[in-house]
Amino acid sequence: MFKVVSLFLSISIFSVAQANETVEFDTAQELLTVMEVDKQMLGGFEAMLPIVNQLADKLKLNAQETEELKGIYRDWFDNDIDRVKMRTEIANLYSKQFTMSEMKQIIEFYGTPVGKKFIQQSPELTKLGAQIGMAEAQNKQHLLVEKLTPFMEEHSSE
């Protein structure tokens, strides 16, 4: 009898834990929807386009060829990147980092006018922030080369 009760309790505890994880995951998915994560992913892709332009410059491509290259990247992003998988993994991440109460508070914030404005502006801010970071990295690239040169010289002769 004890074994039957123990088994029943174990199954019940597992079922409750699994149900809680499902509710937390669903709340995390709702949070991602409210945050317009799909638009954020697109903003991340758009932030990458200056790198494609740099590649086009290095390859000495004309405007039409540059657009063709961007088309290849867009096709890759649209057809090969598994955004459903990414969204699931991000939802799992959020559900582990935030409590159910915290996620609900964040969802509530994004429902406010300021929260909606933040969401609306985020893709462009992400893109501009990435451009600022890339510009600074390019401006200071010579310092990185100076620091890497002795290391590379020491390790290239081996």
Side-chain angles (χ1 to χ4, degrees):
M1 180 71 168
F2 177 73
K3 288 182 180 181
V4 171
V5 170
S6 294
L7 178 63
F8 177 75
L9 284 174
S10 296
I11 291 170
S12 296
I13 290 169
F14 176 75
S15 296
V16 168
Q18 199 169 24
N20 284 342
E21 284 180 16
T22 300
V23 170
E24 287 176 4
F25 179 79
D26 290 345
T27 302
Q29 285 284 8
E30 180 183 355
L31 176 59
L32 297 183
T33 298
V34 171
M35 292 172 60
E36 298 183 5
V37 161
D38 296 324
K39 286 184 181 177
Q40 303 296 333
M41 285 188 224
L42 181 58
F45 171 76
E46 295 294 329
M48 185 180 82
L49 289 179
I51 295 170
V52 176
N53 287 334
Q54 290 175 357
L55 176 59
D57 289 344
K58 284 184 183 179
L59 296 172
K60 298 181 178 20
L61 301 180
N62 64 35
Q64 182 181 351
E65 293 166 332
T66 299
E67 285 308 309
E68 184 179 346
L69 181 62
K70 285 181 182 179
I72 292 168
Y73 274 86
R74 279 190 185 92
D75 179 67
W76 168 75
F77 180 76
D78 291 339
N79 298 309
D80 297 325
I81 299 297
D82 189 343
R83 287 184 250 176
V84 172
K85 176 185 173 199
M86 288 176 59
R87 190 181 165 97
T88 299
E89 290 177 10
I90 293 168
N92 283 326
L93 177 67
Y94 274 70
S95 68
K96 289 178 181 153
Q97 298 298 317
F98 295 99
T99 66
M100 185 84 116
S101 174
E102 291 169 333
M103 286 189 287
K104 287 180 179 181
Q105 289 175 47
I106 295 168
I107 291 168
E108 190 176 312
F109 166 72
Y110 284 128
T112 67
V114 171
K116 288 177 182 176
K117 182 177 180 179
F118 181 81
I119 290 169
Q120 182 183 24
Q121 296 297 318
S122 287
E124 183 66 15
L125 291 170
T126 299
K127 179 180 164 184
L128 294 172
Q131 290 173 354
I132 291 168
M134 286 187 293
E136 180 63 11
Q138 286 177 339
N139 289 336
K140 302 294 171 55
Q141 186 175 9
H142 68 281
L143 297 174
L144 177 61
V145 170
E146 287 175 16
K147 292 177 182 194
L148 282 174
T149 299
F151 178 86
M152 298 302 289
E153 288 172 352
E154 179 180 334
H155 291 86
S156 64
S157 61
E158 293 177 9

